[in-house]
Amino acid sequence: MKIKPIFIGIAVVGVLLLVLSLSAVGKIFGANPRDVLAGVKTQPLAVKFLPQRSPLFLSFLVNPDKLELFTQLAAKPSDRGDVRHELSNLKQQLQQNWLLDYERDIQPWLDQEITLAVTDVDLDQQPANGLQTGYLLAFAAKDADLAKTSIDAFWQRLAVNGSDLGFEQYQGISILKTSFAEDKPAIAGTTLDKFVLFANDARVLHKAIDALQKPDLALMNLANYRDRLAQFNTGKNVGKVGVAYVNLAELGEELPKESLLMSLSFDKSGIRAKTALNLASEKLETVVDTQTTKLKTPPKNSSNSANKIPLASSVIIGNNLGETLQEMQNILIPEWKQALIKAIAPITLDSNTLAWAQHDYAIALLPKANHALDWLLVAKVEDANVTKEAIANLDQLVRNKLTVGEISLKAQPVTIWTNLSTNDNSKVSGNVVAAHTQTKDYVYLSNSLAVLESSLTLKNSESIAASKSFKTISAKLPSDRLTYGYIDKNLDLSWVQTSLLNLKETSEITQNISNSPLAQIFKHIEVGGFAITSTDKSMQNGELFLILK
């Protein structure tokens, strides 16, 4: 299944309404806008208009003008022109896709919520005649009379400018709509329960009215959604400025039958997102039953692995590597699962070769020339004999495809896996696929001898644990984490776009995203981190923190 390209333009508008501009947001934190930073505890109310099977929505819960004001105040004089230019461009997207002039049609009466949603991938459920995707844009009104006056004037202007307006009644609610024109999109609109709603098709508004009049049909009353949303109001950092939801099962047949709910908030240092991933029901029996309680081992013990990782690395640190890989295998979409299998080859996901790594581990990615990456695995040794036997079994497995030999690095015995070949002159050549060694406390495995050697002789001051950015991210993430990661500024994130482009089910949407302003998000990330805070058979909770340039 594919989604119409117009989704991209609308999605970009959603990003505008959510954060206005990541680069602009990055300049507000020093100004300490306390009400924006504190966020709100309220929930997105427009979800009451969304059918339960809606593929996704994005709600912004702080008035955009407030954020824009703080942005302008916080920005350096030299940056203010760029900020204004970014905001102007994004507002033009709103006018292009919805025919709305923000300052004239929306700003005077807008309250504290804007929600953008994809309500249906195909409104008539007949893919053979082409997908007819439904989109809904909802604005909360603080002044209903002023909103009605402004929107009535909006429709009148469209009529005066030549748009063919239509009118209909549905369940006693009046709906105005325009027909599709070559240079203008089709839109429909109505006012409903203190919200002004716009859609690209009147059928979307029909479903919104049905959901409001029959609450059992609405996403807001889906227990799965409601329970996860309530979790965001517990613990620390409960204030939020936005909420996002993605139901992957509705976006493509080959995607996981899972849904992700996310709350977004601001911090003086960056952006924080709390996440709740609902796992697919058919995978409940296969997902490893990890503890829903917190790590028994204090997080500070896991940081010892970080002392073995070189500076400028991006890293994942956790406990029980074999279990982690099994969980990843169960929740990844097929394309990303294949990428993981390729990355760890010749080790296989379904083998028991990593079952011995049941304690602290760290997996690092180190940038090198031509956007390529080296990788390094460091795992804690608890029982030297058990570990040695497990590694010997791993070598035996590898011998089916590679040549296994031994060398010495500074008196440390190292096993190498080599891919040998011969040329036309019968000369043998080869390249090192991976190398590993075991010390008293750790096992090291890497695709680079140079990385392996540097890790073996690494001083604490040269490790990622000594990095100020790593310390900042670690401090921002929850202390009761099961697994956490750090994304260094030196990591080239272009592979994310490339991997998205390879997704079969969403190739059209991801290609358009990569060519849209949304792709610029990666340019604004200085460093980032993520943490998984709890996992059970049906749910995985976590947090993401980004420090912006």
Side-chain angles (χ1 to χ4, degrees):
M1 299 176 70
K2 294 183 179 180
I3 298 176
K4 289 183 179 180
I6 193 175
F7 168 81
I8 304 307
I10 297 175
V12 171
V13 174
V15 175
L16 155 68
L17 299 176
L18 180 63
V19 293
L20 288 180
S21 162
L22 272 181
S23 59
V25 169
K27 298 180 174 73
I28 76 171
F29 303 119
N32 193 22
R34 294 183 179 180
D35 50 349
V36 175
L37 289 175
V40 297
K41 294 183 180 180
T42 57
Q43 316 298 357
L45 298 179
V47 183
K48 62 189 173 186
F49 303 123
L50 304 183
Q52 289 189 356
R53 293 185 60 181
S54 296
L56 63 89
F57 78 80
L58 192 65
S59 288
F60 180 42
L61 303 175
V62 176
N63 189 290
D65 294 330
K66 184 180 296 184
L67 182 57
E68 181 176 359
L69 173 62
F70 284 122
T71 302
Q72 291 290 345
L73 291 175
K76 298 176 182 178
S78 59
D79 292 329
R80 289 173 184 166
D82 291 338
V83 172
R84 285 192 295 269
H85 180 68
E86 288 182 9
L87 298 177
S88 176
N89 284 344
L90 290 168
K91 290 175 182 178
Q92 286 176 14
Q93 292 275 346
L94 180 65
Q95 188 161 23
Q96 178 182 338
N97 290 288
W98 294 98
L99 308 179
L100 291 164
D101 183 304
Y102 176 76
E103 279 82 6
R104 181 182 61 196
D105 301 326
I106 305 298
Q107 187 181 47
W109 50 265
L110 180 63
D111 202 5
Q112 300 296 317
E113 180 181 341
I114 306 170
T115 294
L116 171 74
V118 175
T119 62
D120 206 311
V121 173
D122 191 7
L123 286 166
D124 65 3
Q125 301 299 314
Q126 297 182 28
N129 63 7
L131 296 183
Q132 302 176 48
T133 306
Y135 310 104
L136 181 71
L137 185 60
F139 298 94
K142 62 184 177 183
D143 187 327
D145 293 335
L146 182 57
K148 184 179 185 305
T149 300
S150 298
I151 297 306
D152 285 348
F154 163 75
W155 289 110
Q156 290 171 8
R157 279 192 301 274
L158 290 184
V160 169
N161 292 330
S163 294
D164 184 14
L165 295 188
F167 173 84
E168 67 172 81
Q169 287 271 340
Y170 182 79
Q171 305 284 15
I173 307 296
S174 300
I175 296 175
L176 280 169
K177 57 186 178 180
T178 67
S179 301
F180 177 79
E182 184 175 345
D183 59 341
K184 295 179 180 179
I187 60 171
T190 191
T191 301
L192 197 61
D193 198 32
K194 296 185 180 180
F195 276 85
V196 175
L197 305 182
F198 291 95
N200 66 321
D201 191 296
R203 288 174 291 181
V204 175
L205 297 181
H206 295 173
K207 290 189 175 184
I209 294 169
D210 290 341
L212 181 64
Q213 295 183 349
K214 300 177 182 178
D216 288 345
L217 301 177
L219 177 61
M220 175 177 278
N221 290 304
L222 190 66
N224 175 299
Y225 166 82
R226 191 175 59 244
D227 294 344
R228 282 186 287 171
L229 195 62
Q231 292 180 18
F232 292 153
N233 281 341
T234 61
K236 297 180 179 179
N237 306 310
V238 297
K240 54 186 176 293
V241 297
V243 173
Y245 171 82
V246 180
N247 186 350
L248 295 174
E250 297 297 327
L251 289 174
E253 294 176 356
E254 292 187 9
L255 295 177
K257 310 306 179 189
E258 296 159 1
S259 62
L260 175 69
L261 187 65
M262 177 184 299
S263 72
L264 182 73
S265 61
F266 293 148
D267 181 277
K268 290 182 180 180
S269 302
I271 294 178
R272 182 189 310 278
K274 291 186 177 182
T275 63
L277 177 66
N278 184 58
L279 302 177
S281 58
E282 63 265 32
K283 295 178 181 177
L284 297 187
E285 298 303 321
T286 60
V287 175
V288 177
D289 186 14
T290 48
Q291 298 175 359
T292 55
T293 55
K294 308 308 177 184
L295 262 180
K296 292 183 178 179
T297 303
K300 65 180 182 180
N301 290 346
S302 294
S303 67
N304 291 335
S305 298
N307 289 324
K308 306 300 178 182
I309 304 301
L311 286 169
S313 301
S314 295
V315 64
I316 296 174
I317 297 175
N319 208 270
N320 199 328
L321 177 59
E323 186 176 273
T324 300
L325 289 175
Q326 184 63 45
E327 288 178 344
M328 294 175 68
Q329 180 180 208
N330 288 324
I331 65 175
L332 287 178
I333 57 179
E335 288 80 2
W336 289 3
K337 180 179 176 181
Q338 289 302 315
L340 175 61
I341 292 173
K342 183 179 179 180
I344 68 171
I347 305 171
T348 57
L349 284 176
D350 57 358
S351 70
N352 294 319
T353 52
L354 295 173
W356 59 270
Q358 298 181 7
H359 302 279
D360 297 347
Y361 71 85
I363 302 174
L365 297 177
L366 297 86
K368 60 180 184 179
N370 301 322
H371 305 289
L373 294 170
D374 285 327
W375 55 264
L376 170 68
L377 164 65
V378 179
K380 178 72 172 171
V381 172
E382 291 294 328
D383 187 317
N385 292 330
V386 170
T387 301
K388 186 175 181 179
E389 182 179 353
I391 295 299
N393 291 336
L394 180 58
D395 286 335
Q396 190 61 39
L397 175 69
V398 169
R399 280 191 172 90
N400 295 326
K401 298 179 180 180
L402 302 172
T403 300
V404 178
E406 290 190 2
I407 63 172
S408 178
L409 284 179
K410 297 183 178 180
Q412 175 68 32
V414 173
T415 300
I416 58 173
W417 302 341
T418 309
N419 188 9
L420 299 178
S421 61
T422 59
N423 57 24
D424 294 338
N425 297 323
S426 298
K427 291 185 177 181
V428 178
S429 61
N431 63 288
V432 175
V433 175
H436 67 79
T437 189
Q438 180 176 339
T439 65
K440 177 184 176 182
D441 296 316
Y442 292 94
V443 168
Y444 299 79
L445 177 64
S446 177
N447 67 328
S448 166
L449 278 173
V451 169
L452 187 68
E453 182 177 8
S454 66
S455 184
L456 287 169
T457 58
L458 197 66
K459 298 178 181 178
N460 287 344
S461 60
E462 300 171 337
S463 72
I464 196 173
S467 162
K468 181 179 179 181
S469 297
F470 178 80
K471 290 179 179 178
T472 299
I473 290 294
S474 296
K476 292 294 182 181
L477 295 175
S479 59
D480 55 352
R481 55 205 177 215
L482 300 173
T483 303
Y484 70 105
Y486 168 77
I487 305 168
D488 190 76
K489 61 182 179 182
N490 295 301
L491 181 64
D492 180 9
L493 293 174
S494 61
W495 66 272
V496 177
Q497 291 173 252
T498 302
S499 65
L500 287 174
L501 289 173
N502 291 332
L503 295 181
K504 297 176 182 178
E505 291 296 316
T506 54
S507 58
E508 189 168 343
I509 176 175
T510 52
Q511 184 173 4
N512 282 276
I513 286 177
S514 67
N515 295 327
S516 75
L518 186 58
Q520 302 305 309
I521 180 175
F522 299 115
K523 295 184 179 180
H524 298 305
I525 298 175
E526 178 71 19
V527 293
F530 64 88
I532 297 173
T533 54
S534 67
T535 299
D536 60 27
K537 287 187 176 182
S538 63
M539 192 75 62
Q540 185 178 89
N541 297 313
E543 284 197 22
L544 175 71
F545 194 88
L546 301 176
I547 296 178
L548 306 179
K549 296 178 181 178

